[in-house]
Coordinates of all heavy atoms in Angstrom, one line a residue:
K9 N 14.8 -36.8 16.8 CA 15.8 -37.7 16.3 C 15.1 -39.2 16.3 O 14.6 -39.5 17.2 CB 17.0 -37.8 17.1 CG 18.0 -38.8 16.7 CD 19.2 -38.7 17.6 CE 20.2 -39.8 17.1 NZ 21.4 -39.8 17.9
L10 N 15.2 -39.8 15.0 CA 14.5 -41.0 14.9 C 15.4 -42.0 15.5 O 16.7 -42.0 15.4 CB 14.4 -41.2 13.4 CG 13.3 -40.4 12.6 CD1 13.2 -40.7 11.2 CD2 11.9 -40.5 13.3
P11 N 14.8 -43.3 16.0 CA 15.5 -44.4 16.4 C 16.3 -45.1 15.3 O 15.9 -45.0 14.1 CB 14.6 -45.2 17.2 CG 13.3 -44.8 16.6 CD 13.4 -43.5 16.1
Q12 N 17.3 -46.0 15.6 CA 18.0 -46.7 14.5 C 17.0 -47.7 13.9 O 16.1 -48.3 14.6 CB 19.1 -47.5 15.1 CG 19.8 -48.3 14.1 CD 21.0 -49.0 14.7 OE1 21.3 -48.8 15.8 NE2 21.7 -49.8 13.9
F13 N 17.0 -47.9 12.6 CA 16.1 -49.0 12.0 C 16.5 -50.3 12.6 O 17.7 -50.6 12.9 CB 16.3 -49.0 10.6 CG 15.4 -48.0 9.8 CD1 16.1 -46.9 9.2 CD2 14.2 -48.1 9.6 CE1 15.5 -45.9 8.5 CE2 13.5 -47.2 9.0 CZ 14.2 -46.0 8.3
P14 N 15.6 -51.3 12.8 CA 15.8 -52.6 13.3 C 16.7 -53.3 12.2 O 16.5 -53.0 11.0 CB 14.5 -53.3 13.5 CG 13.4 -52.4 12.9 CD 14.1 -51.1 12.6
L15 N 17.6 -54.2 12.7 CA 18.4 -54.8 11.6 C 17.5 -56.0 10.9 O 16.6 -56.4 11.7 CB 19.7 -55.5 12.4 CG 20.7 -54.4 12.7 CD1 21.8 -55.1 13.6 CD2 21.3 -53.7 11.5
P16 N 17.9 -56.4 9.8 CA 17.2 -57.5 9.2 C 17.1 -58.8 9.9 O 18.1 -59.1 10.6 CB 17.9 -57.7 7.9 CG 18.7 -56.4 7.6 CD 18.9 -56.0 9.1
T17 N 16.0 -59.6 9.9 CA 16.0 -60.8 10.5 C 15.9 -62.0 9.6 O 16.2 -63.1 9.9 CB 14.7 -60.9 11.5 OG1 13.5 -60.7 10.6 CG2 14.7 -60.0 12.6
H18 N 15.6 -61.7 8.4 CA 15.5 -62.7 7.3 C 16.4 -62.4 6.1 O 16.5 -61.2 5.8 CB 14.1 -62.8 6.7 CG 13.2 -63.5 7.8 ND1 12.8 -62.9 9.0 CD2 12.6 -64.8 7.9 CE1 12.0 -63.7 9.6 NE2 11.9 -64.8 8.9
D19 N 16.9 -63.3 5.5 CA 17.6 -63.1 4.3 C 16.7 -62.6 3.2 O 15.5 -62.8 3.3 CB 18.1 -64.5 3.7 CG 19.4 -64.3 2.8 OD1 19.8 -63.2 2.5 OD2 19.7 -65.4 2.1
V20 N 17.3 -62.0 2.1 CA 16.4 -61.5 1.1 C 16.7 -62.0 -0.2 O 18.0 -62.2 -0.5 CB 16.6 -59.8 1.0 CG1 15.9 -59.2 0.0 CG2 16.2 -59.2 2.4
V21 N 15.7 -62.2 -1.1 CA 16.0 -62.7 -2.4 C 16.1 -61.4 -3.4 O 15.2 -60.6 -3.4 CB 14.9 -63.5 -3.0 CG1 15.1 -64.0 -4.4 CG2 14.8 -64.8 -2.1
V22 N 17.3 -61.1 -3.8 CA 17.5 -59.8 -4.6 C 17.5 -60.2 -6.1 O 18.3 -61.0 -6.5 CB 18.8 -59.2 -4.2 CG1 19.0 -58.0 -5.1 CG2 18.8 -58.7 -2.8
R23 N 16.7 -59.6 -6.7 CA 16.7 -59.7 -8.2 C 16.7 -58.4 -8.8 O 16.0 -57.4 -8.5 CB 15.3 -60.4 -8.6 CG 15.2 -61.8 -8.2 CD 14.1 -62.6 -8.9 NE 14.1 -64.0 -8.4 CZ 13.2 -64.5 -7.7 NH1 12.0 -63.8 -7.5 NH2 13.3 -65.8 -7.4
Y24 N 17.5 -58.2 -9.8 CA 17.7 -56.9 -10.6 C 18.4 -55.9 -9.7 O 18.3 -54.7 -10.2 CB 16.4 -56.5 -11.2 CG 15.5 -57.7 -11.8 CD1 14.5 -58.0 -11.4 CD2 16.1 -58.3 -13.0 CE1 13.8 -59.2 -11.9 CE2 15.5 -59.3 -13.6 CZ 14.4 -59.8 -13.0 OH 13.7 -60.8 -13.7
G25 N 18.8 -56.0 -8.6 CA 19.4 -55.1 -7.8 C 18.4 -54.0 -7.2 O 17.3 -54.2 -7.3
V26 N 18.9 -53.1 -6.5 CA 18.3 -52.1 -5.7 C 18.4 -50.8 -6.6 O 19.3 -50.4 -7.1 CB 18.8 -51.8 -4.4 CG1 18.1 -50.7 -3.7 CG2 18.7 -53.2 -3.5
P27 N 17.2 -50.1 -6.8 CA 17.3 -48.8 -7.7 C 18.2 -47.9 -6.8 O 18.1 -47.9 -5.6 CB 15.7 -48.4 -7.6 CG 15.0 -49.6 -7.3 CD 15.8 -50.5 -6.5
N28 N 18.9 -47.0 -7.5 CA 19.9 -46.1 -7.0 C 19.2 -45.2 -6.0 O 19.8 -44.8 -5.0 CB 20.5 -45.2 -8.1 CG 21.3 -46.2 -9.0 OD1 21.9 -47.2 -8.5 ND2 21.6 -45.7 -10.3
E29 N 17.8 -44.9 -6.2 CA 17.3 -44.0 -5.2 C 17.1 -44.5 -4.0 O 16.9 -43.8 -3.0 CB 15.8 -43.5 -5.8 CG 15.7 -42.9 -7.3 CD 15.6 -44.2 -8.2 OE1 14.7 -44.9 -8.2 OE2 16.6 -44.4 -9.0
F30 N 17.1 -45.9 -3.7 CA 16.8 -46.4 -2.5 C 18.1 -46.9 -1.8 O 18.1 -47.6 -0.7 CB 15.9 -47.7 -2.6 CG 14.5 -47.1 -3.1 CD1 14.0 -47.6 -4.4 CD2 13.8 -46.4 -2.4 CE1 12.8 -47.2 -4.9 CE2 12.4 -46.0 -2.7 CZ 12.1 -46.3 -4.0
E31 N 19.3 -46.9 -2.4 CA 20.5 -47.4 -1.9 C 20.9 -46.8 -0.5 O 21.3 -47.5 0.5 CB 21.8 -47.1 -2.8 CG 21.8 -48.2 -3.9 CD 23.0 -48.0 -4.8 OE1 23.8 -47.0 -4.5 OE2 23.3 -48.9 -5.7
R32 N 20.6 -45.6 -0.2 CA 20.8 -45.1 1.0 C 19.8 -45.5 2.1 O 20.0 -45.5 3.3 CB 20.7 -43.4 1.0 CG 21.7 -42.8 0.2 CD 21.6 -41.3 0.2 NE 20.3 -40.9 0.7 CZ 19.9 -39.6 0.9 NH1 20.7 -38.7 0.5 NH2 18.7 -39.3 1.3
N33 N 18.7 -46.1 1.7 CA 17.7 -46.5 2.6 C 17.8 -48.0 3.0 O 17.0 -48.4 3.8 CB 16.3 -46.4 2.1 CG 16.0 -44.8 1.8 OD1 16.6 -43.9 2.5 ND2 15.2 -44.5 0.9
T34 N 18.8 -48.6 2.5 CA 19.0 -50.0 2.7 C 19.5 -50.2 4.2 O 20.6 -49.5 4.6 CB 20.0 -50.6 1.8 OG1 19.5 -50.5 0.5 CG2 20.3 -52.1 2.1
V35 N 18.9 -51.1 4.9 CA 19.3 -51.3 6.4 C 20.0 -52.7 6.4 O 19.4 -53.8 6.0 CB 18.0 -51.4 7.3 CG1 18.5 -51.7 8.7 CG2 17.3 -50.1 7.2
A36 N 21.4 -52.7 6.8 CA 22.1 -54.0 6.8 C 23.0 -54.0 7.9 O 23.4 -53.0 8.5 CB 22.7 -54.1 5.3
Y37 N 23.6 -55.2 8.0 CA 24.6 -55.3 9.0 C 26.0 -54.7 8.4 O 26.1 -54.6 7.2 CB 24.9 -56.8 9.2 CG 23.8 -57.4 10.1 CD1 22.7 -58.0 9.5 CD2 23.8 -57.4 11.5 CE1 21.6 -58.6 10.2 CE2 22.8 -58.2 12.2 CZ 21.7 -58.6 11.6 OH 20.8 -59.2 12.4
D38 N 26.8 -54.4 9.3 CA 28.1 -53.8 9.0 C 29.0 -55.0 8.4 O 28.7 -56.1 8.9 CB 28.9 -53.1 10.0 CG 28.2 -51.9 10.5 OD1 27.6 -51.2 9.6 OD2 28.3 -51.6 11.7
E39 N 29.8 -54.8 7.5 CA 30.8 -55.7 6.9 C 31.5 -56.5 8.1 O 31.8 -55.8 9.1 CB 31.8 -55.1 6.1 CG 32.1 -55.4 4.7 CD 31.3 -56.4 4.0 OE1 30.3 -56.1 3.5 OE2 31.6 -57.6 4.0
G40 N 31.6 -57.8 8.1 CA 32.2 -58.5 9.2 C 31.4 -58.7 10.5 O 31.8 -59.5 11.3
Q41 N 30.3 -58.1 10.6 CA 29.6 -58.2 11.8 C 28.8 -59.5 11.8 O 28.2 -59.8 10.8 CB 28.5 -57.2 11.8 CG 27.7 -57.2 13.2 CD 26.7 -55.9 13.2 OE1 26.6 -55.1 12.3 NE2 25.9 -55.8 14.3
P42 N 28.9 -60.4 12.8 CA 28.2 -61.8 12.8 C 26.7 -61.6 12.7 O 26.2 -60.7 13.3 CB 28.7 -62.3 14.1 CG 29.0 -61.2 15.0 CD 29.5 -60.1 14.2
R43 N 26.3 -62.4 12.0 CA 24.7 -62.4 11.8 C 24.2 -63.9 11.5 O 24.9 -64.7 10.9 CB 24.3 -61.4 10.7 CG 24.8 -61.7 9.4 CD 24.6 -60.6 8.4 NE 25.3 -60.9 7.1 CZ 26.5 -60.5 6.8 NH1 27.3 -59.8 7.8 NH2 27.1 -60.8 5.7
K44 N 23.0 -64.1 11.8 CA 22.2 -65.3 11.5 C 20.9 -65.0 11.0 O 20.1 -64.6 12.0 CB 22.4 -66.3 12.7 CG 21.7 -67.7 12.3 CD 21.8 -68.6 13.4 CE 20.9 -69.9 13.3 NZ 21.0 -70.6 12.1
L45 N 20.6 -65.0 9.8 CA 19.5 -64.6 9.3 C 18.6 -65.8 8.9 O 19.0 -66.9 8.5 CB 19.6 -63.8 8.0 CG 20.4 -62.6 8.1 CD1 20.6 -61.9 6.7 CD2 19.9 -61.5 9.1
E46 N 17.3 -65.7 9.2 CA 16.3 -66.7 8.8 C 16.3 -66.9 7.2 O 16.5 -65.9 6.5 CB 15.1 -66.4 9.3 CG 14.9 -66.3 10.7 CD 15.1 -67.6 11.5 OE1 14.6 -68.7 10.9 OE2 15.4 -67.6 12.7
K47 N 15.8 -68.0 6.7 CA 15.7 -68.1 5.2 C 14.7 -67.2 4.7 O 13.7 -66.9 5.5 CB 15.2 -69.5 5.1 CG 15.0 -70.0 3.6 CD 14.6 -71.4 3.4 CE 13.8 -71.5 2.2 NZ 12.4 -72.0 2.4
A48 N 14.7 -66.6 3.7 CA 13.8 -65.6 3.1 C 12.4 -66.3 2.9 O 12.4 -67.5 2.6 CB 14.4 -65.2 1.7
V49 N 11.5 -65.7 3.1 CA 10.0 -66.3 3.0 C 9.6 -65.7 1.6 O 9.7 -64.6 1.2 CB 9.2 -65.6 4.0 CG1 7.7 -66.1 3.7 CG2 9.5 -66.1 5.3
V50 N 9.2 -66.6 0.7 CA 8.9 -66.4 -0.8 C 7.3 -66.8 -0.8 O 6.8 -67.5 0.1 CB 9.7 -67.1 -1.7 CG1 11.1 -66.5 -1.7 CG2 9.8 -68.6 -1.5
L51 N 6.8 -66.3 -1.9 CA 5.3 -66.6 -2.1 C 4.9 -68.0 -2.0 O 3.9 -68.3 -1.2 CB 4.9 -65.9 -3.4 CG 3.4 -66.1 -3.7 CD1 2.6 -65.2 -2.7 CD2 3.1 -65.5 -5.1
L52 N 5.6 -69.0 -2.5 CA 5.3 -70.3 -2.4 C 5.3 -70.8 -0.9 O 4.5 -71.6 -0.6 CB 6.4 -71.2 -3.2 CG 6.0 -72.8 -3.2 CD1 4.7 -72.8 -4.1 CD2 7.1 -73.3 -4.1
D53 N 6.2 -70.2 -0.1 CA 6.1 -70.7 1.2 C 4.9 -70.2 1.9 O 4.3 -70.8 2.9 CB 7.2 -70.0 2.0 CG 8.5 -70.4 1.6 OD1 8.8 -71.5 1.2 OD2 9.5 -69.5 1.8
T54 N 4.2 -69.2 1.5 CA 2.9 -68.7 2.1 C 1.7 -69.2 1.6 O 0.7 -69.5 2.4 CB 2.9 -67.2 2.0 OG1 2.8 -66.8 0.6 CG2 4.2 -66.4 2.6
I55 N 1.6 -69.6 0.4 CA 0.3 -70.1 -0.3 C 0.3 -71.4 -0.8 O -0.8 -71.9 -1.2 CB -0.2 -69.1 -1.4 CG1 0.8 -69.2 -2.6 CG2 -0.2 -67.7 -0.8 CD1 0.2 -68.5 -3.8
S56 N 1.3 -72.3 -0.6 CA 1.3 -73.7 -1.3 C 0.3 -74.6 -0.6 O -0.1 -75.5 -1.3 CB 2.6 -74.2 -1.1 OG 3.2 -74.4 0.1
D57 N -0.2 -74.3 0.6 CA -1.1 -75.1 1.2 C -2.5 -74.7 1.0 O -3.5 -75.4 1.5 CB -0.9 -75.2 2.8 CG -0.9 -73.9 3.4 OD1 -1.0 -72.9 2.7 OD2 -1.2 -74.0 4.6
L58 N -2.7 -73.7 0.2 CA -4.1 -73.2 0.1 C -5.0 -74.0 -0.9 O -4.2 -74.4 -2.0 CB -4.1 -71.7 -0.3 CG -3.6 -70.8 0.8 CD1 -3.7 -69.4 0.2 CD2 -4.3 -70.9 2.0
P59 N -6.1 -74.2 -0.8 CA -6.8 -75.0 -1.8 C -7.1 -74.2 -3.1 O -7.0 -72.9 -3.1 CB -8.3 -75.2 -1.0 CG -8.4 -74.0 -0.1 CD -6.9 -73.6 0.3
D60 N -7.4 -74.9 -4.2 CA -7.7 -74.2 -5.5 C -9.1 -73.5 -5.3 O -10.0 -74.2 -4.7 CB -7.7 -75.3 -6.6 CG -6.3 -75.7 -6.8 OD1 -5.3 -75.1 -6.6 OD2 -6.1 -76.9 -7.2
V61 N -9.3 -72.4 -5.7 CA -10.5 -71.7 -5.7 C -11.0 -71.4 -7.2 O -10.1 -70.9 -7.9 CB -10.5 -70.4 -5.0 CG1 -11.7 -69.6 -5.0 CG2 -10.0 -70.6 -3.6
K62 N -12.1 -71.9 -7.5 CA -12.6 -71.6 -8.8 C -13.4 -70.2 -9.0 O -13.8 -69.7 -7.9 CB -13.6 -72.7 -9.4 CG -12.8 -74.1 -9.3 CD -13.8 -75.2 -9.9 CE -13.1 -76.5 -10.0 NZ -12.1 -77.0 -9.3
N63 N -13.6 -69.7 -10.1 CA -14.4 -68.4 -10.2 C -15.7 -68.6 -9.8 O -16.3 -67.4 -9.3 CB -14.4 -68.1 -11.8 CG -13.0 -67.5 -12.2 OD1 -12.2 -67.2 -11.4 ND2 -12.8 -67.6 -13.5
D64 N -16.3 -69.6 -9.8 CA -17.8 -69.8 -9.4 C -17.9 -70.4 -8.1 O -18.9 -70.9 -7.5 CB -18.6 -70.6 -10.4 CG -18.1 -72.0 -10.6 OD1 -17.0 -72.4 -10.2 OD2 -18.7 -72.9 -11.2
E65 N -16.9 -70.4 -7.3 CA -16.8 -70.9 -5.9 C -17.9 -70.2 -5.0 O -18.0 -68.9 -5.1 CB -15.5 -70.7 -5.2 CG -15.3 -71.4 -3.9 CD -15.4 -72.9 -4.1 OE1 -14.6 -73.5 -4.8 OE2 -16.3 -73.4 -3.4
V66 N -18.8 -71.0 -4.2 CA -19.7 -70.4 -3.3 C -19.4 -70.7 -1.8 O -20.0 -70.1 -1.1 CB -21.0 -71.1 -3.7 CG1 -21.6 -70.7 -5.2 CG2 -21.0 -72.6 -3.5
R67 N -18.5 -71.5 -1.6 CA -18.0 -71.8 -0.2 C -17.4 -70.5 0.3 O -16.5 -69.9 -0.4 CB -17.3 -73.0 0.0 CG -18.0 -74.2 -0.4 CD -17.0 -75.4 -0.3 NE -16.1 -75.3 -1.4 CZ -15.0 -76.2 -1.5 NH1 -14.8 -77.1 -0.7 NH2 -14.3 -76.1 -2.6
E68 N -17.6 -70.1 1.6 CA -16.9 -69.0 2.2 C -15.8 -69.4 2.9 O -14.8 -68.7 3.2 CB -18.0 -68.1 3.0 CG -18.9 -67.4 2.3 CD -19.6 -66.4 3.0 OE1 -19.1 -66.0 4.0 OE2 -20.7 -66.1 2.7
E69 N -15.8 -70.6 3.4 CA -14.6 -71.4 4.1 C -14.3 -72.5 3.5 O -15.1 -73.3 3.1 CB -15.0 -71.5 5.5 CG -15.2 -70.3 6.4 CD -15.4 -70.5 7.8 OE1 -15.1 -71.7 8.4 OE2 -15.9 -69.6 8.5
M70 N -13.0 -72.8 3.4 CA -12.5 -74.0 2.8 C -11.3 -74.6 3.7 O -10.6 -73.9 4.3 CB -11.8 -73.8 1.3 CG -13.0 -73.2 0.4 SD -12.3 -72.6 -1.1 CE -12.1 -74.2 -1.9
S71 N -11.0 -75.9 3.6 CA -10.0 -76.5 4.4 C -8.8 -76.4 3.6 O -8.8 -76.3 2.4 CB -10.3 -78.0 4.5 OG -11.4 -78.1 5.3
Y72 N -7.7 -76.3 4.4 CA -6.3 -76.3 3.6 C -6.2 -77.7 2.9 O -6.8 -78.7 3.4 CB -5.2 -76.2 4.7 CG -5.1 -74.9 5.4 CD1 -5.6 -74.6 6.7 CD2 -4.6 -73.9 4.8 CE1 -5.6 -73.4 7.3 CE2 -4.5 -72.5 5.5 CZ -5.0 -72.5 6.6 OH -4.9 -71.2 7.3
K73 N -5.4 -77.6 1.9 CA -5.3 -78.9 1.0 C -4.2 -79.8 1.6 O -4.2 -81.0 1.4 CB -5.1 -78.6 -0.4 CG -3.8 -78.0 -0.8 CD -3.6 -77.8 -2.2 CE -2.3 -77.1 -2.6 NZ -2.4 -76.7 -4.1
T74 N -3.3 -79.3 2.4 CA -2.3 -80.0 3.1 C -2.0 -79.6 4.5 O -2.4 -78.5 4.8 CB -0.9 -80.1 2.4 OG1 -0.5 -78.7 2.3 CG2 -1.0 -80.4 0.9
P75 N -1.4 -80.3 5.4 CA -1.0 -79.8 6.6 C 0.2 -78.8 6.4 O 0.7 -78.7 5.3 CB -0.2 -81.0 7.4 CG -0.9 -82.3 6.7 CD -1.1 -81.8 5.3
P76 N 0.5 -77.9 7.3 CA 1.4 -76.9 7.1 C 2.8 -77.5 6.5 O 3.3 -78.4 7.2 CB 1.7 -76.2 8.5 CG 0.7 -76.8 9.4 CD 0.0 -78.0 8.7
Q77 N 3.4 -77.0 5.4 CA 4.6 -77.4 4.9 C 5.8 -76.5 5.2 O 6.9 -77.0 5.1 CB 4.4 -77.4 3.4 CG 3.3 -78.2 2.9 CD 3.4 -79.8 3.3 OE1 4.3 -80.3 2.9 NE2 2.4 -80.2 3.9
T78 N 5.5 -75.3 5.7 CA 6.7 -74.4 6.0 C 6.5 -73.8 7.4 O 5.5 -73.9 8.0 CB 6.8 -73.3 4.9 OG1 5.5 -72.5 5.1 CG2 6.8 -73.8 3.6
E79 N 7.6 -73.2 7.9 CA 7.6 -72.5 9.2 C 6.6 -71.4 9.2 O 5.8 -71.1 10.1 CB 9.0 -72.0 9.6 CG 9.9 -73.0 9.9 CD 9.5 -74.0 11.1 OE1 9.0 -73.4 12.1 OE2 9.5 -75.2 10.8
F80 N 6.4 -70.7 8.0 CA 5.5 -69.7 7.9 C 4.0 -70.1 8.1 O 3.1 -69.6 8.8 CB 5.6 -68.9 6.7 CG 4.6 -67.7 6.5 CD1 4.8 -66.5 7.0 CD2 3.5 -68.0 5.8 CE1 3.8 -65.6 6.9 CE2 2.4 -67.0 5.7 CZ 2.6 -65.8 6.2
Q81 N 3.8 -71.2 7.5 CA 2.4 -71.8 7.4 C 2.1 -72.3 8.8 O 1.0 -72.1 9.4 CB 2.3 -73.0 6.5 CG 2.3 -72.4 5.1 CD 2.3 -73.5 3.9 OE1 2.4 -74.7 4.3 NE2 2.4 -73.1 2.7
K82 N 3.1 -72.9 9.6 CA 2.9 -73.3 10.9 C 2.5 -72.2 11.8 O 1.6 -72.1 12.7 CB 4.0 -74.0 11.4 CG 4.3 -75.4 10.8 CD 5.5 -76.1 11.3 CE 5.9 -77.2 10.5 NZ 7.3 -77.8 10.7
Y83 N 3.3 -71.0 11.6 CA 3.2 -69.7 12.4 C 1.8 -69.3 12.2 O 1.1 -68.9 13.1 CB 4.1 -68.9 12.1 CG 4.0 -67.4 12.6 CD1 4.2 -67.2 14.0 CD2 3.6 -66.4 11.9 CE1 3.9 -65.9 14.6 CE2 3.4 -65.2 12.4 CZ 3.5 -65.0 13.7 OH 3.2 -63.7 14.3
I84 N 1.4 -69.1 10.9 CA 0.2 -68.3 10.6 C -1.1 -69.1 11.0 O -2.2 -68.6 11.3 CB 0.1 -68.0 9.0 CG1 -0.8 -66.9 8.8 CG2 -0.4 -69.3 8.2 CD1 -0.1 -65.6 9.1
R85 N -0.9 -70.5 11.3 CA -2.1 -71.3 11.7 C -2.1 -71.4 13.2 O -2.9 -72.0 13.9 CB -2.0 -72.6 11.2 CG -2.3 -72.7 9.7 CD -2.5 -74.2 9.2 NE -2.3 -74.2 7.9 CZ -2.4 -75.5 7.3 NH1 -2.7 -76.5 8.0 NH2 -2.3 -75.6 5.9
S86 N -1.0 -71.0 13.9 CA -0.9 -71.2 15.4 C -2.0 -70.4 16.1 O -2.3 -69.3 15.7 CB 0.5 -70.8 15.9 OG 0.7 -69.5 15.9
S87 N -2.3 -70.8 17.2 CA -3.2 -70.2 18.0 C -2.7 -68.8 18.6 O -3.5 -67.8 18.9 CB -3.9 -71.1 19.2 OG -2.8 -71.3 20.0
E88 N -1.5 -68.8 18.9 CA -0.9 -67.6 19.3 C -1.1 -66.4 18.2 O -1.3 -65.3 18.5 CB 0.6 -67.7 19.5 CG 0.9 -68.7 20.6 CD 2.5 -68.9 20.9 OE1 3.3 -68.1 20.3 OE2 2.8 -69.8 21.4
Y89 N -0.8 -66.7 17.0 CA -1.1 -65.7 16.0 C -2.4 -65.3 16.0 O -2.8 -64.0 15.9 CB -0.6 -66.3 14.6 CG -0.9 -65.3 13.5 CD1 0.0 -64.3 13.1 CD2 -2.0 -65.4 12.6 CE1 -0.2 -63.4 12.1 CE2 -2.3 -64.5 11.6 CZ -1.3 -63.5 11.4 OH -1.6 -62.6 10.3
G90 N -3.5 -66.2 15.9 CA -4.9 -65.9 16.1 C -5.2 -64.9 17.2 O -6.1 -64.1 16.9
E91 N -4.6 -65.1 18.3 CA -5.0 -64.2 19.4 C -4.4 -62.7 19.4 O -4.9 -61.8 20.0 CB -4.3 -64.8 20.6 CG -4.9 -66.1 21.1 CD -4.3 -66.8 22.3 OE1 -3.3 -66.2 22.8 OE2 -4.6 -67.9 22.6
L92 N -3.4 -62.5 18.3 CA -3.0 -61.2 18.2 C -3.8 -60.3 17.4 O -3.8 -59.1 17.5 CB -1.7 -61.3 17.3 CG -0.5 -61.9 18.0 CD1 0.8 -62.1 17.2 CD2 0.0 -61.2 19.3
F93 N -4.9 -60.8 16.6 CA -5.6 -60.0 15.8 C -7.1 -60.3 16.2 O -7.7 -61.0 16.5 CB -5.4 -60.3 14.4 CG -4.0 -59.9 13.9 CD1 -3.1 -60.7 13.9 CD2 -3.8 -58.6 13.6 CE1 -1.8 -60.5 13.5 CE2 -2.6 -58.3 13.2 CZ -1.5 -59.2 13.2

């Protein structure tokens, strides 16, 4: 017997709905159940601080172009995250 799927922790940006084949696989809170979800993380939240890279770039390491602008960027740069991998 498989354990229950963990409940979502972040909101989701839904575009065009869920394909019918996957409706049964959706993990969600029950109607009326209290929940506090984190804001959805979108691509801009993750890469907006990265420097522009040209096709002929020769540097292997580059500095970020700005300090962290989002919670995800703060997390990904934290020393705790670096120690996990």
Side-chain angles (χ1 to χ4, degrees):
K9 181 177 177 183
L10 295 175
Q12 179 182 355
F13 281 106
L15 291 172
T17 58
H18 289 72
D19 196 12
V20 177
V21 177
V22 177
R23 294 195 175 116
Y24 313 113
V26 177
N28 292 337
E29 307 86 65
F30 297 113
E31 278 188 354
R32 292 183 344 181
N33 297 332
T34 302
V35 178
Y37 287 90
D38 292 331
E39 238 0 88
Q41 186 178 358
R43 61 188 173 270
K44 180 170 169 51
L45 298 176
E46 299 288 331
K47 181 180 156 242
V49 177
V50 295
L51 185 61
L52 187 61
D53 295 334
T54 63
I55 66 170
S56 63
D57 64 337
L58 297 179
D60 296 330
V61 178
K62 296 183 176 29
N63 286 339
D64 59 350
E65 186 65 60
V66 294
R67 294 177 289 176
E68 291 194 25
E69 291 186 19
M70 299 172 75
S71 299
Y72 291 101
K73 67 180 179 183
T74 64
Q77 304 296 309
T78 66
E79 289 301 314
F80 178 83
Q81 291 171 0
K82 291 175 189 171
Y83 169 75
I84 206 74
R85 292 190 200 182
S86 72
S87 60
E88 291 176 18
Y89 177 80
E91 292 173 8
L92 294 175
F93 296 95

